[in-house]
Amino acid sequence: MNEQTRISVEEVDSVPSPPKARVEDAPVPSGAEAREGFERKKDYLAGFLAEKPAQLSGEEPGGALYEAVIDALKEIYDPEIPVNIYDLGLIYGVEISGGHAVVTMTLTTPHCPVAESMPGEVELRVGAVPGIGDAEVNLVWDPPWNPAQMSDEAKLELGML
């Protein structure tokens, strides 16, 4: 070992914590009046947090009427598959305006045995929801239904997860 290289070891019980930086300790650029710009401003979120969220009319997603329509759709089951049509992914959209509901949906295939009766059942069930005066069903084939549109609950029920 080289005589010039020596490592000294010092054992200590504890090391004092370094002082914490404070805004008050920051140097003032020029004069006391410049310090005014560094004072903490009123919390900019105070007004945002004090504002109450707008009340839902009930007709948009999350509203009571909309959720009641979704619950009604979840009571309708495909006769060949033990899953409701909403979780099966057959419902493409629900629009409610002034008590008029429009449900856009599809079926698993155009040759589905309930192709004639399912839209009528959807119309009756949605029309029976309190607050819905008129229900309309638009049956579409584009985009075609595929198993990827099913909810995770439906996939679990069918053993696909």
Side-chain angles (χ1 to χ4, degrees):
M1 182 178 229
N2 190 348
E3 287 292 322
Q4 295 176 347
T5 310
R6 289 189 179 235
I7 298 174
S8 63
V9 177
E10 178 183 350
E11 289 188 26
V12 294
D13 292 330
S14 66
V15 177
S17 299
K20 295 186 177 186
R22 304 257 183 239
V23 173
E24 295 84 24
D25 298 337
V28 178
S30 60
E33 66 278 351
R35 184 123 182 117
E36 291 176 12
F38 291 104
E39 296 298 320
R40 180 177 166 96
K41 302 251 188 301
K42 185 177 177 181
D43 193 355
Y44 67 93
L45 289 176
F48 176 76
L49 295 174
E51 186 177 328
K52 300 293 180 211
Q55 293 294 336
L56 297 174
S57 70
E59 295 181 348
E60 62 267 354
L65 185 57
Y66 184 90
E67 294 304 321
V69 168
I70 298 301
D71 289 342
L73 292 170
K74 287 183 176 182
E75 292 176 359
I76 305 169
Y77 283 78
D78 185 296
E80 297 177 325
I81 306 170
V83 176
N84 69 66
I85 63 171
Y86 188 82
D87 287 334
L88 201 53
L90 298 179
I91 305 300
Y92 287 170
V94 175
E95 296 175 14
I96 304 172
S97 177
H100 177 75
V102 177
V103 177
T104 303
M105 66 174 292
T106 191
L107 298 172
T108 52
T109 68
H111 305 293
C112 182
V114 293
E116 291 183 24
S117 63
M118 182 69 73
E121 184 177 355
V122 170
E123 190 174 314
L124 285 173
R125 295 276 186 109
V126 171
V129 172
I132 299 294
D134 183 33
E136 177 184 340
V137 175
N138 291 331
L139 189 61
V140 297
W141 302 108
D142 190 36
W145 179 85
N146 66 63
Q149 293 169 285
M150 293 191 298
S151 68
D152 287 341
E153 291 84 7
K155 291 177 182 175
L156 185 63
E157 180 72 28
L158 297 174
M160 296 175 70
L161 273 183

